[in-house]
Amino acid sequence: MTDIPRPFRRQLAVAGAIGALAMGATAVLPTEDAVAAAGCAVTYTASSWTGGFTASITITNLGDPVDGWTLGFSFPDAGQRVGQGWSATYSQTGAAVTARSLSYNGALATGASTNIGFNGTWTGSNPTPTSFTLNGTVCTGGAGPTTPPPTTPPPTTPPPTTPPPGGQTPVAVNGQLQVCGANLCNQYGKPIQLRGMSSHGIQWFPHCYNDASLDALAKDWLADLFRISMYVQEDGYETDPAGFTNRVNTLVEEATERGMYALVDFHTLTPGDPMFNLERAKTFFAAVSARHANENNVIYEITNEPNGVSWSTIKNYAEQVIPVIRANDPDAVVVVGTRAWSSLGVSEGGNSTEIVNNPVNASNVMYAFHFYAASHRDNYRAELERAAARLPMFVTEFGTVDYTGDGGVDLASSAAWLDLLDRLKISYANWTYSDKAEGSAAFRPGTCYGGTYAGTAVLTESGAFMRNRIRTPDNFPTS
């Protein structure tokens, strides 16, 4: 099994605003509004690979409320360099780094926390900073564990479940989906919510998607949806277009056999400009939509996480790819990624207004939103709820952990997110139905090399939580 380089899994993300890094710039000092905090605490965690690392920093204000903050820290030597960052702007001089708040996270009440992070490079050893200052005040805390252990064991007794009406599958009940207003609706024109799981990259975890595992997803988890995540770069589609198209087609047919909806994810990530893959997208979706034109369970996600580009660029891409699908399948629902890692622009300081004012010119179109519960909280939830009043939204990917796809499960934030999605009838797919050794994976490492997928003994904390939520009865109105 090929290991997955960390930079490919959560730049990936929906993490916060991309930091405009000015390498070699002088340190940014606090403004007059950013008065010094009387106390603060910082937790720094990092995941590293050869030559690089991803860092997560949680800042807690223990003093008086502040309106604007500057975090300072130094690496033990200048061999560590901050690269792409989020939820702050970054500058570095020698070993000293300064991170400054953005408009949406600068106000910290007493006891309030915020999370920032960055990808970096390192040479020699990979030490972590041990001293932090917030607006000039030295903070407590320091380096923390890379992957916190689960705080509670997964449940061992399956919750009570209610099967679909008359034993029917989600597709049998709902049939051909359509967009009605700001909702995803079934064949009866009634708003519904689909709940399911996303594969990991099918180039890395093909052994996780077999008859036994997909039976468990459909019959034990009672999932409505299976998202098929096909990376375009990162050892994916571009290396073997015909082979990956065949893999996707096979998995769509496996989902069809089990009565689940198949969400075909054209997993663009790096580079963040979807136009880079425009011709590949046209070729891929022409083939897949032709193969499944007579099926009523296929949803097309045409670009996963655009980043570093404008909404007009994403819209331009969508309006060239959608007609390719429509030529074969005029009725299918199409999901379009949104700016800033499908965060509706929030992770780059924007919001959904740009889409409301300039929507994609096509019918049966929805818009993607991604979040990671331990990193993305109230301001992301507020923007999704605001957008959902005007736009048809689909959470095609989310995690119960932080933006790296790793770390401990944040049960409280995850529950708050899912309660919101349930209330708004927003469909979702959780990252990931895999046994990768990271916090977001549903299965314990090594599970996919065995034959048992049903039940809770093989699940991680995230997997047990998600299985419990997905197994609760669906609400599919038919009249």
Side-chain angles (χ1 to χ4, degrees):
M1 179 181 67
T2 303
D3 191 25
I4 301 167
R6 176 61 55 184
F8 296 160
R9 177 71 215 127
R10 280 280 125 213
Q11 276 159 289
L12 227 169
V14 221
I18 182 170
L21 175 65
M23 301 302 292
T26 56
V28 181
L29 298 176
T31 64
E32 291 181 0
D33 289 337
V35 295
C40 47
V42 168
T43 301
Y44 177 102
T45 60
S47 299
S48 65
W49 61 93
T50 302
F53 65 102
T54 294
S56 175
I57 305 173
T58 299
I59 306 163
T60 302
N61 177 25
L62 302 179
D64 294 333
V66 297
D67 185 12
W69 49 261
T70 298
L71 182 76
F73 62 90
S74 293
F75 292 113
D77 60 62
Q80 289 72 49
R81 305 294 297 176
V82 175
Q84 185 184 55
W86 42 85
S87 297
T89 56
Y90 296 83
S91 62
Q92 182 170 355
T93 302
V97 179
T98 300
R100 190 170 184 176
S101 62
L102 298 176
S103 59
Y104 67 83
N105 64 357
L108 287 180
T110 303
S113 298
T114 191
N115 182 265
I116 66 174
F118 57 87
N119 291 322
T121 58
W122 57 277
T123 58
S125 60
N126 185 23
T128 57
T130 56
S131 178
F132 296 83
T133 61
L134 184 68
N135 294 353
T137 297
V138 177
C139 301
T140 60
T146 297
T147 306
T151 55
T152 58
T156 57
T157 303
T161 62
T162 301
Q168 292 182 306
T169 66
V171 175
V173 175
N174 295 294
Q176 178 63 57
L177 303 177
Q178 57 187 305
V179 175
C180 50
N183 298 107
L184 178 65
C185 294
N186 62 14
Q187 62 184 332
Y188 305 102
K190 303 297 183 181
I192 64 167
Q193 177 196 40
L194 301 178
R195 300 173 297 172
M197 296 294 292
S198 174
S199 76
H200 209 301
I202 58 176
Q203 75 273 43
W204 294 311
F205 293 90
H207 54 292
C208 283
Y209 312 113
N210 52 53
D211 284 344
S213 69
L214 295 176
D215 281 347
L217 184 62
K219 299 173 183 178
D220 179 55
W221 288 57
L222 301 181
D224 310 315
L225 174 77
F226 179 48
R227 182 190 192 225
I228 302 162
S229 183
M230 186 201 71
Y231 282 70
V232 183
Q233 277 71 50
E234 295 87 43
D235 302 322
Y237 175 82
E238 68 177 3
T239 68
D240 182 10
F244 276 93
T245 301
N246 287 337
R247 290 192 214 181
V248 169
N249 283 332
T250 297
L251 289 172
V252 168
E253 288 159 4
E254 295 286 348
T256 302
E257 289 176 9
R258 292 162 175 81
M260 292 187 292
Y261 288 92
L263 176 60
V264 177
D265 165 29
F266 194 69
H267 202 89
T268 52
L269 176 62
T270 305
D273 184 352
M275 297 299 287
F276 181 83
N277 287 302
L278 177 61
E279 294 308 316
R280 294 185 183 96
K282 289 180 178 180
T283 300
F284 172 76
F285 284 112
V288 174
S289 61
R291 174 76 166 262
H292 306 289
N294 294 325
E295 295 164 6
N296 62 356
N297 68 314
V298 185
I299 304 168
Y300 297 97
E301 182 180 3
I302 61 174
T303 178
N304 167 60
E305 288 185 343
N307 57 89
V309 295
S310 67
W311 167 244
S312 62
T313 296
I314 302 167
K315 180 176 182 287
N316 181 20
Y317 166 88
E319 290 176 352
Q320 295 187 64
V321 174
I322 292 172
V324 173
I325 298 172
R326 292 284 183 255
N328 295 315
D329 191 344
D331 300 321
V333 170
V334 175
V335 184
V336 179
T338 60
R339 191 160 66 86
W341 298 280
S342 285
S343 70
L344 289 168
V346 177
S347 291
E348 290 175 354
N351 58 49
S352 60
T353 300
E354 61 190 9
I355 305 174
V356 171
N357 292 339
N358 189 24
V360 172
N361 185 24
S363 61
N364 281 332
V365 167
M366 304 188 77
Y367 300 93
F369 187 82
H370 293 181
F371 66 86
Y372 279 74
S375 298
H376 308 129
R377 299 175 184 274
D378 290 345
N379 61 314
Y380 284 80
R381 283 190 279 265
E383 182 56 30
L384 176 59
E385 183 161 14
R386 188 174 82 95
R390 302 283 300 278
L391 299 170
M393 300 301 305
F394 200 128
V395 173
T396 56
E397 179 184 317
F398 78 94
T400 60
V401 294
D402 68 28
Y403 59 82
T404 66
D406 206 353
V409 176
D410 190 328
L411 293 175
S413 182
S414 295
W417 271 111
L418 293 185
D419 289 347
L420 174 68
L421 300 185
D422 291 350
R423 175 166 59 84
L424 298 177
K425 285 188 178 291
I426 295 177
S427 300
Y428 63 74
N430 174 252
W431 186 272
T432 60
Y433 198 66
S434 79
D435 66 351
K436 188 176 189 292
E438 66 179 7
S440 61
F443 295 115
R444 297 179 185 273
T447 297
C448 293
Y449 289 102
T452 301
Y453 298 88
T456 58
V458 295
L459 300 181
T460 62
E461 184 179 18
S462 182
F465 173 79
M466 287 309 308
R467 176 180 177 274
N468 184 60
R469 292 292 301 225
I470 291 171
R471 280 170 61 95
T472 57
D474 284 313
N475 178 19
F476 295 146
T478 58
S479 60

